[in-house]
Structures are given as structure tokens and as C-alpha cells.
Amino acid sequence: MGESYKSANDETAGTPARQRELRAQGRETMSRLLEAGLCVFAERGYHASRVDDVVREARTSHGTFYLYFTNKEDLLRALAVDCAQELAKLADTIGPITSDAAGRAELRSFLGRFLETYRRYGPVIRAWMEDQVGEREIDRLGVKAFTAIGDRLGRRMREAGSALAVSDEAAVGALMAMLERFSYAVASRRVVIDDETVLDTLSTIVHRGFFNARF
Amino acid sequence: MGESYKSANDETAGTPARQRELRAQGRETMSRLLEAGLCVFAERGYHASRVDDVVREARTSHGTFYLYFTNKEDLLRALAVDCAQELAKLADTIGPITSDAAGRAELRSFLGRFLETYRRYGPVIRAWMEDQVGEREIDRLGVKAFTAIGDRLGRRMREAGSALAVSDEAAVGALMAMLERFSYAVASRRVVIDDETVLDTLSTIVHRGFFNARF
Amino acid sequence: MGESYKSANDETAGTPARQRELRAQGRETMSRLLEAGLCVFAERGYHASRVDDVVREARTSHGTFYLYFTNKEDLLRALAVDCAQELAKLADTIGPITSDAAGRAELRSFLGRFLETYRRYGPVIRAWMEDQVGEREIDRLGVKAFTAIGDRLGRRMREAGSALAVSDEAAVGALMAMLERFSYAVASRRVVIDDETVLDTLSTIVHRGFFNARF
Amino acid sequence: MGESYKSANDETAGTPARQRELRAQGRETMSRLLEAGLCVFAERGYHASRVDDVVREARTSHGTFYLYFTNKEDLLRALAVDCAQELAKLADTIGPITSDAAGRAELRSFLGRFLETYRRYGPVIRAWMEDQVGEREIDRLGVKAFTAIGDRLGRRMREAGSALAVSDEAAVGALMAMLERFSYAVASRRVVIDDETVLDTLSTIVHRGFFNARF
DNA sequence: TATGAATGAGTGTTCATTCAT
DNA sequence: TATGAATGAACACTCATTCAT
């Protein structure tokens, strides 16, 4: 990833205050800052992260940071744009999740990709879920991205004939909640279990709980 | 709740630096501060909450706060002690969750109580789950409380013959993750669904996904 | 000592804001506060001492303190009055310090009494010497007391024919400086030497340095 | 002096939290802060000095202060390092103090240099002697520096055959006490006497009292 | 394009003093 | 006479942001 400086013109996120055109060196610096943001936010969480930490991680200076981002939130926004894009792609790849073994495989595959995405964009997703963002616009990106995935999963549930859940909305909400928080636990090593086990267990549970699995 | 000033001697949490004897007025003020803490933390989250907000909410002064708590963290600790106690009680009440309708009823009842507890102590639980606490001791309280519930639920799963989950630990982790985050979504009105629907849906899903429900 | 509550009417120091006449219980409380002041000031120094410490030491309450003293400084003033009185008495007892053995004995005796006084009133004297007092009046007490002793010692020097010191004023200043600070070192156990040795050494040195000792 | 930013690497005192490389401007600011510290501490004493006073004196901002020192104590530490160094140098220069006129001249010269050092570093020395420092490490610097001078003077006393003082330790203690406190009195203009007179008087007295002077 | 330096509003905490009972 | 409770001004320290080079 890390191509937000390409989409900068469209989104006005992660755009240097004055300059638009970035040369090689500029792109390199910005990329380093984005990466550092991801890294520092992951360690401390967005709120507790200091611009100072980011700058040190990116081996650049305070002044330089504000050459590329108007403030700390702007860095988050840039990352959020990338993350939302990634999640949108992810939503598109969710194939039919049938009640049989094939459905379970599809589900497992999706869960794996979600976990992977969380591994990279976890801090952004956390900021969304933990309500750390003070700005509508960024929040909206998250809501939109999660809604896209949730809607798709909801549709797949209905296709699977999983009518037992009283409320689709509640079911989808519960599923997304579990996905997000458990991914956090796994990605942050709060829960230490190898990925295979995690995915096996999770797909089984979700398949049975939400997708009417038969076996 | 709000009786931490009773258990103060045992726990030394939420106790004025020098173990003062509190009279009626003092107990009243302390109780107001605890309540205000819960309220403010719920609105803004622990980290973003200012001592100033808490004292304004409690209609008292800045100085008074430090008469009862050594610092902001100490207030959190006091609340955490209460919360942990509540959760411990909750863990004890989780009866057998069989695969039949009775089991589902038991599960639903537990989920309802959990949600209720979350409604009161949500901010404390959030602080635990979102890793906002800088202190081991407080964290330990949370880990212990959640472990107690998780262990109990895990035992109930095994009793229900729900052997399909590859890893008990992963399953319990996923369940707790869903419980915590979905309760947050519901309690904070980020997801707006009436409690009955939430509980119906959740108990069905969890019953099927984790407790081998037959129907 | 501790009779400042008797002289209260004359000095208006250490006098309760409203009441003048103290009954037995009142005198007892005030005395406890004075003693506590001495004790706490000695440990932490006047400036660093908290009213809270004094009150705790005197096993009484915050409110009570302000029943007897208008503020922290007022407590110091009360002690300063006592101390000044003591030092004045001390000044009167300084007999002729001749250049012979008898003079040295007289000197030693004075030094012993000074050290004793320092043991009790050290913190007050420190406050004077370290310029911790923000109030003219209290300062004046100290200056007056020290001047009285210094004058007397100066006279004894001249009587001893110790004309070698170029400036009487400077000599007296140096002597008082040594007395005060060395007493502090000894009384506070920063320098750990038994009193006999201290007095032997000091009297010898001072006798030779300031009083033209022959032997 | 004021070269603590040079010795920063060795001592880690007075160094910005994160070891920054200081350019000309930075060094200039730091030097201004050190100078201001000396100035303000001298006026009010270390304890009573406010960081605010220091930055006002240095004509800089509150935030800037914390760019160079982690806290008020750290500023004191930086000054203490410089002061200790200066005193160590001073100790090395104390030549033999014989009982004759030459010895008196040597003594007078030392006293002059001590007074000069006190004029600059008085507040630091005061902080040491008045026990205002809450930190072992800084204290140790002072003890070490004073011990070095005291040891040297003690040796010179013994060389001078001044065996009359019962206890070397007590004699040295008394001498250092006098030096410190009288220097304070002179440097702070509490005692107003011109330097020549002070030095003449002091050297005579000390020579006779401690160094067995013959004349 | 890069950087070290400077800033000041915001926040946590202490403590002398006053108040109500 | 005694006391626990309350207060708020004063101070230390942080950190996002701006500035000058």
C-alpha cells in the first residue's frame, strides 16, 4: 500500500499544505511517515501517540511532519483512506458462504484476509471502533467500510438461509464486533494462538452461529 | 454499587491518601465522584476524560477530588475494584448451558446480566480492553475478572459437548471479544436496537456457534 | 520552654484569632502544636513543612490549627519569640573570656549552652539564617537575638585584647556563621561526633582564633 | 563557566531528554537558562524559585525550558555538576599553609578564590548545605566536592603541626561551616563589608585558630 | 525540502486557608 | 473547643503546532 500520496489530489488527505507535486525524495519521506504512523499507532494507540514518536520512528524532523500533514489527525486520515480502500476491496471478495464445507472454506478464506488486513491497519480500525477520532469525515470512512463488509456478510447469511437470527442488523453487528476485537487480540498478541488454530476455530464458530452450518 | 468506600480498608483503592474516617458527608462526596467518574469516562473514554470534567459533573472542586483519590488513575482503580467484584459475581451465576431450549434461556439470562453490568461499568471494561491503563495492578483486576467468566463459559461449552471448536482457548477468546465489543456498541448507542432483539439474536447465535445448539 | 501562650498578650504572636483566654485544654492543645511545629520544622525545614504534617504530629485537626494560629508563619513567629527570648538569656550569661584556661572554660560552657539551644530551636534559627522567612517582623527578632550575642562576644574579644582581627564586625560575623552552621551540622547528625569532642575542639579553635589564647 | 552542554555527554546532566545535538542557537538558549537559574536561585533560593521565574529571567518560554531540562531539579543538577567541578579544581590549588606569614598568604589566597566561587555558585552550595535537594545523586556531588576541600585543608592543618584541635574531623567540619555560611553572608550582602577586610580578618582568624599561626 | 528551536494553551497536582457542624 | 470537608490559586509539566534558517 502506502499510495495515499497518489490519491492525494482526490481526497485532499495527506496532502502537503502548499505543494502538490512530490518528487522522489518527497514521496519517500511521506511514505516513511505513513509507515511510522502505522507503527507507532499500533504500539500506543492513536490517542496516546505523540507526533514526536512518529517523527523519531520515521527518522525525520518535527518540521518535516507538518510539511506533509496539516496535523496529527491528518496523518490518521491518510491512513484511514488507504485502510478503507483495502477493506472495500475485501468486501468485494466475499463469495457465497453456503452451509456446507465449501461455504466454510470461503468463510475461512475471508477471515484470513481480514486478519491480514488488521495486521497492517489495526491501529486505524481501532481508532474507528474505539471512537478516538474527533472528526466526522474520518469516522464516515470507517462506517462506510465496515458497513460494506457487514452488508455483504448479511447478504451471505440470508443466502445461506440463516433465518434463525431474529435481527439481521443485530447479527451483523455482533459478527463485526467479534471480528474486530478478536483480530485485535490476536494481532496485538494479547491472545497468543497460532493463526491456523484461530482461523479454524473462528470459521467453525461463525459458520455454525451465523451461517446455518450443517455437518 | 458505589460502595467502594466500604471496601476501602480491604482494597486501599479509592481511599484518601491518609486513611481518613469518612463521615456521612464525605461518603456522599466520594460516592458522587465515583458516579461522576463512571459518567464522564463513559462519555469521553478514560484517557480523554479530564479531572476537571469529573469534578464539574460531581459538582465539587478540583481540590476535593484529590482529597479522595490520589490521581485520576486512582479513581479508575476504585471503579475497577467495584467492577471486578460485579463481574466475579456474574461469573458465579452462569449455570449449565445445555444444547436445548433451557440452555438457551440460561444463556440469554447471562447475556442480559452482562449487558446490564456493561451499562454501568462499560468505561472501566473499555479501559481494560482498549489497553488504556498504564498500571499493572488495575490491568490484573480486569484480566482476572474476564478470565473467571471465560473459564466458566469454557467449562459450560465442554459440558454442552461442543467439541467442534478446534481450540477452547480461541473459542473463549472470540466469545469474550464479541460480548465486550457488542455490548459496547449497544450500550453506547452506536448500534441502536432494542434490548430484547439484541438478546434474542445474540443468544441464538452464541447458542448455535459455541454451545452446539440443536433445534 | 513552651510558654508563648503566656506571653501571648504582649506579643500578639501565637494568639488565637478571636479568643484570648485559654483554659487548660486550650493551653494543652496549643502547646502540642508548638511542639509539633518544632519537631516537623526540624525534620523538613520550615518551608518544606506542611501544615498537614504539623497537625498530624500534634494529633489534632486542620481546623484546630487555625484556631490558634492565623497561618503557618504565625506558628513560626510564636516559636521565634520563644527562641529569641532563650537566645537573649544566653547572651546575658556570656562571662569574660580571657586568654587563659579560665577563659577557655567559660567559652566552652557558652558553646555547650548554644548547642543545647540549637538542639531545641534549630529549625527557627535555620529559618532565620536561610532567609526562609517572608516577614520583616520575625526576621527582626532573629537579627536582634543574634546581634545581642554577637555584640557580647565582640566585647569579650576586645577585652581579651584580641586586636589582631582587622575588623571586629567581620570577626563576629565569621564566628556567628561558624556557630550556627556547625551547630546545625551536629544537631542534625549530618556530622556525627560526640558532644564532648565537638565542644573541646570548637572551644580550642575559637579560643585561639578569636580570643588570643595563650598556653 | 556555563559549559555544561559540553560535558553533557559525560554527565547526562542538563541534557535534553532525548540527546539532541545542539546548534549555536540551542547552546545559547541553554546557557541563558543556566545563567538565569543561577540568578534566580541566588535571589530566592532553590526551593522557592519557580520555573516561571527562571524562564522570565532567561527571556524564553515555559515550554523551551523543558526542551533542555527534564525538570527544575535537572537544572540544579546541571549547575551542581559545574559547581562541583569548580570546587574540585579549587581543592587542588590549596598549597601548604605554614604557620608563618607565607602560610597566611596562601590561606588568604584560597579564601579569596572560595569566595569568588561562592559568588557564582552560591545558590548551588546553599542548596547542598541547607538540605534542599531531594535527590541522592546531586547531594553526593556536593558531599564529594566539600569532602575534597575539607580533606585537603585537614592535611594542611596536620602539616602545620596544628595538633591542638582534639578532633581533626570536628575541626574541618567547623572550618567548612564557617567558610560556607560566612561566604553566604558576604555574597548575599547580609553582611556588608568590603572583600579586603573580610579576607584579612578571616585569614588571620583561621590561621590562628586552625593553623597554629605564630607571629 | 529539511530541520532544530520556540511557543503557549491545556492539564494534573499540591497545599494554605476557610467553612459548616 | 474541635473537626472533617471544601476550596481555588499556584505551580509543574506536556505536546501539538508554528517559526526561522
Side-chain angles (χ1 to χ4, degrees):
Chain A
M1 264 261 100
E3 41 191 349
S4 33
Y5 41 83
K6 282 186 192 159
S7 56
N9 286 328
D10 324 314
E11 302 285 343
T12 71
T15 323
R18 292 167 279 277
Q19 303 278 359
R20 300 270 122 174
E21 295 308 316
L22 295 180
R23 308 227 183 116
Q25 193 188 358
R27 282 208 304 280
E28 152 69 12
T29 301
M30 171 152 231
S31 158
R32 242 174 33 240
L33 282 168
L34 289 165
E35 220 49 49
L38 235 22
C39 170
V40 170
F41 292 171
E43 258 178 63
R44 297 163 145 59
Y46 169 68
H47 216 108
S49 294
R50 310 285 144 230
V51 171
D52 197 67
D53 303 324
V54 175
V55 160
R56 190 168 341 124
E57 176 74 27
R59 258 158 307 119
T60 182
S61 76
H62 242 154
T64 299
F65 179 92
Y66 286 91
L67 222 50
Y68 291 93
F69 303 99
T70 65
N71 51 36
K72 197 173 75 158
E73 203 174 66
D74 192 38
L75 169 57
L76 180 65
R77 189 199 336 276
L79 294 169
V81 167
D82 288 353
C83 175
Q85 208 170 37
E86 201 73 352
L87 289 177
K89 269 197 244 167
L90 184 55
D92 283 343
T93 66
I94 305 174
I97 299 173
T98 48
S99 318
D100 56 11
R104 187 179 170 285
E106 175 66 32
L107 177 60
R108 201 194 126 111
S109 155
F110 158 70
L111 292 173
R113 275 170 284 142
F114 186 86
L115 183 55
E116 200 124 328
T117 307
Y118 204 101
R119 282 242 159 71
R120 176 157 182 74
Y121 288 106
V124 175
I125 300 176
R126 269 187 74 192
W128 277 332
M129 301 315 269
E130 298 180 2
D131 235 345
Q132 297 188 4
V133 193
E135 219 221 359
R136 293 277 152 197
E137 201 200 328
I138 300 180
D139 240 356
R140 234 187 293 271
L141 283 169
V143 171
K144 204 173 140 197
F146 263 65
T147 304
I149 295 183
D151 284 353
R152 187 73 163 235
L153 287 172
R155 186 178 351 143
R156 295 315 187 199
M157 280 189 221
R158 279 191 300 281
E159 290 170 0
S162 181
L164 293 179
V166 178
S167 153
D168 277 9
E169 196 192 348
V172 165
L175 178 49
M176 298 306 289
M178 177 163 72
L179 279 191
E180 192 277 324
R181 204 60 349 195
F182 195 48
S183 296
Y184 169 54
V186 171
S188 68
R189 316 288 299 163
R190 281 168 70 98
V191 155
V192 186
I193 310 178
D194 71 290
D195 282 17
E196 295 308 303
T197 308
V198 162
L199 292 177
D200 282 346
T201 308
L202 210 50
S203 49
T204 297
I205 285 168
V206 174
H207 201 219
R208 294 174 68 195
F210 296 85
F211 290 92
N212 202 23
R214 317 227 163 258
F215 29 88
Chain B
M1 264 259 98
E3 42 190 348
S4 31
Y5 43 81
K6 280 186 195 161
S7 56
N9 286 328
D10 321 314
E11 303 286 343
T12 71
T15 324
R18 184 154 49 100
Q19 217 85 359
R20 299 184 293 122
E21 288 309 314
L22 294 182
R23 295 187 183 167
Q25 193 187 356
R27 285 206 303 278
E28 150 71 13
T29 302
M30 170 153 225
S31 155
R32 237 169 44 236
L33 281 168
L34 288 165
E35 222 50 50
L38 237 21
C39 170
V40 170
F41 292 171
E43 259 177 62
R44 297 164 150 59
Y46 169 67
H47 217 109
S49 294
R50 307 288 142 225
V51 171
D52 202 61
D53 303 326
V54 174
V55 298
R56 196 175 321 119
E57 175 72 27
R59 259 157 308 121
T60 184
S61 78
H62 223 120
T64 298
F65 178 91
Y66 288 93
L67 216 52
Y68 293 92
F69 303 98
T70 63
N71 51 36
K72 199 174 67 157
E73 202 174 69
D74 192 38
L75 170 56
L76 180 64
R77 188 199 336 275
L79 293 169
V81 167
D82 287 352
C83 175
Q85 208 169 35
E86 203 72 353
L87 290 177
K89 268 196 245 167
L90 184 54
D92 283 342
T93 65
I94 306 174
I97 299 173
T98 48
S99 319
D100 57 9
R104 186 180 172 285
E106 176 66 34
L107 177 59
R108 201 194 124 113
S109 156
F110 158 70
L111 293 172
R113 276 171 284 144
F114 185 87
L115 183 55
E116 199 124 327
T117 307
Y118 205 101
R119 282 241 160 71
R120 177 154 180 77
Y121 289 106
V124 175
I125 300 176
R126 270 188 72 193
W128 279 331
M129 301 316 268
E130 298 179 1
D131 235 344
Q132 297 188 4
V133 192
E135 220 220 0
R136 294 275 152 198
E137 202 201 328
I138 300 181
D139 239 356
R140 234 187 294 271
L141 283 170
V143 170
K144 203 173 143 198
F146 263 67
T147 303
I149 295 183
D151 284 353
R152 187 75 163 234
L153 287 172
R155 188 180 349 147
R156 295 314 187 200
M157 281 188 218
R158 281 190 299 279
E159 289 169 0
S162 182
L164 293 179
V166 178
S167 154
D168 277 9
E169 197 193 346
V172 166
L175 178 50
M176 297 307 290
M178 178 163 71
L179 278 191
E180 193 277 324
R181 203 61 349 194
F182 195 47
S183 296
Y184 169 53
V186 171
S188 67
R189 315 288 299 163
R190 282 168 69 98
V191 155
V192 186
I193 311 177
D194 71 290
D195 281 16
E196 295 307 305
T197 307
V198 163
L199 292 176
D200 281 346
T201 309
L202 210 51
S203 49
T204 297
I205 285 169
V206 173
H207 202 219
R208 293 173 68 193
F210 296 84
F211 289 92
N212 202 24
R214 317 225 165 261
F215 29 89
Chain C
M1 262 259 98
E3 40 191 350
S4 35
Y5 42 83
K6 280 185 193 161
S7 57
N9 286 328
D10 323 314
E11 301 286 343
T12 69
T15 324
R18 292 167 280 279
Q19 303 278 0
R20 300 270 122 175
E21 296 308 316
L22 296 180
R23 306 226 184 116
Q25 193 188 359
R27 283 208 303 280
E28 152 69 12
T29 302
M30 171 153 232
S31 158
R32 246 178 24 243
L33 282 168
L34 289 165
E35 221 50 48
L38 236 21
C39 170
V40 170
F41 292 171
E43 259 178 62
R44 298 161 145 60
Y46 169 67
H47 216 108
S49 294
R50 310 284 142 230
V51 171
D52 197 67
D53 303 325
V54 175
V55 159
R56 193 173 333 127
E57 176 73 27
R59 259 157 307 120
T60 183
S61 76
H62 244 156
T64 299
F65 179 93
Y66 286 91
L67 221 50
Y68 291 93
F69 303 97
T70 65
N71 51 36
K72 197 174 74 158
E73 205 173 65
D74 192 37
L75 170 57
L76 180 64
R77 189 200 335 276
L79 294 168
V81 167
D82 288 352
C83 175
Q85 207 169 39
E86 202 73 352
L87 290 177
K89 268 197 244 166
L90 184 54
D92 283 343
T93 66
I94 306 175
I97 300 173
T98 48
S99 318
D100 57 10
R104 186 179 172 285
E106 175 66 34
L107 178 59
R108 200 194 126 113
S109 157
F110 159 70
L111 293 172
R113 274 169 286 142
F114 186 87
L115 183 55
E116 200 123 326
T117 308
Y118 205 101
R119 281 242 160 72
R120 176 156 180 77
Y121 288 106
V124 176
I125 301 177
R126 271 187 72 192
W128 278 331
M129 302 314 270
E130 298 180 0
D131 236 345
Q132 297 188 4
V133 193
E135 219 221 359
R136 293 278 152 194
E137 202 201 327
I138 299 180
D139 239 356
R140 234 187 295 272
L141 283 170
V143 171
K144 202 173 143 198
F146 263 67
T147 302
I149 295 183
D151 284 353
R152 187 74 162 235
L153 287 172
R155 178 161 16 128
R156 294 317 185 196
M157 280 188 220
R158 279 189 302 279
E159 290 169 358
S162 184
L164 294 178
V166 179
S167 155
D168 278 9
E169 196 192 348
V172 166
L175 179 50
M176 298 306 290
M178 178 163 71
L179 279 191
E180 192 277 324
R181 203 60 348 196
F182 195 49
S183 296
Y184 169 53
V186 171
S188 68
R189 315 291 298 167
R190 280 168 71 97
V191 156
V192 185
I193 311 179
D194 69 291
D195 282 17
E196 294 309 304
T197 308
V198 163
L199 293 178
D200 282 344
T201 309
L202 211 50
S203 47
T204 298
I205 285 169
V206 173
H207 201 219
R208 295 172 67 194
F210 295 85
F211 290 92
N212 202 24
R214 314 223 166 262
F215 28 88
Chain D
M1 265 260 97
E3 41 190 348
S4 31
Y5 42 82
K6 281 185 194 161
S7 56
N9 286 329
D10 322 313
E11 302 286 342
T12 70
T15 324
R18 184 155 47 102
Q19 216 87 357
R20 297 184 296 122
E21 288 309 313
L22 293 183
R23 295 185 183 170
Q25 193 186 358
R27 284 206 304 277
E28 149 71 12
T29 301
M30 172 152 225
S31 155
R32 236 169 43 238
L33 281 168
L34 288 165
E35 222 50 50
L38 237 20
C39 170
V40 171
F41 292 171
E43 258 178 62
R44 296 163 149 59
Y46 168 67
H47 217 107
S49 294
R50 308 286 143 224
V51 172
D52 203 61
D53 303 326
V54 175
V55 299
R56 196 174 323 119
E57 175 72 27
R59 258 157 308 118
T60 184
S61 77
H62 220 122
T64 298
F65 178 91
Y66 288 95
L67 217 50
Y68 293 92
F69 303 98
T70 63
N71 50 37
K72 199 174 66 157
E73 201 174 69
D74 192 39
L75 170 56
L76 180 64
R77 190 198 333 277
L79 294 169
V81 167
D82 288 352
C83 175
Q85 208 169 35
E86 203 72 353
L87 289 178
K89 268 196 245 166
L90 185 53
D92 284 342
T93 66
I94 306 175
I97 299 173
T98 48
S99 317
D100 56 11
R104 187 179 172 285
E106 176 66 34
L107 177 60
R108 201 195 125 112
S109 156
F110 159 69
L111 293 172
R113 275 169 285 142
F114 186 87
L115 183 56
E116 199 125 327
T117 306
Y118 205 101
R119 282 239 160 72
R120 176 156 181 76
Y121 288 107
V124 175
I125 300 176
R126 271 186 72 193
W128 278 331
M129 300 316 268
E130 299 180 0
D131 235 346
Q132 297 188 3
V133 192
E135 219 221 358
R136 293 275 152 198
E137 202 200 329
I138 300 181
D139 240 354
R140 235 187 292 270
L141 284 170
V143 170
K144 202 173 144 197
F146 264 67
T147 302
I149 294 183
D151 285 352
R152 187 74 163 234
L153 287 172
R155 190 186 340 153
R156 294 316 186 197
M157 279 188 221
R158 280 189 300 279
E159 289 169 359
S162 183
L164 294 177
V166 178
S167 154
D168 277 10
E169 197 192 346
V172 166
L175 178 50
M176 298 306 291
M178 178 164 70
L179 278 191
E180 192 277 323
R181 206 55 354 192
F182 194 48
S183 296
Y184 169 54
V186 171
S188 68
R189 316 289 298 164
R190 282 168 70 97
V191 155
V192 185
I193 311 178
D194 70 290
D195 282 16
E196 295 308 304
T197 308
V198 162
L199 293 177
D200 281 345
T201 309
L202 211 49
S203 48
T204 298
I205 286 169
V206 174
H207 202 220
R208 294 173 67 194
F210 296 84
F211 290 92
N212 202 25
R214 316 229 162 258
F215 30 89

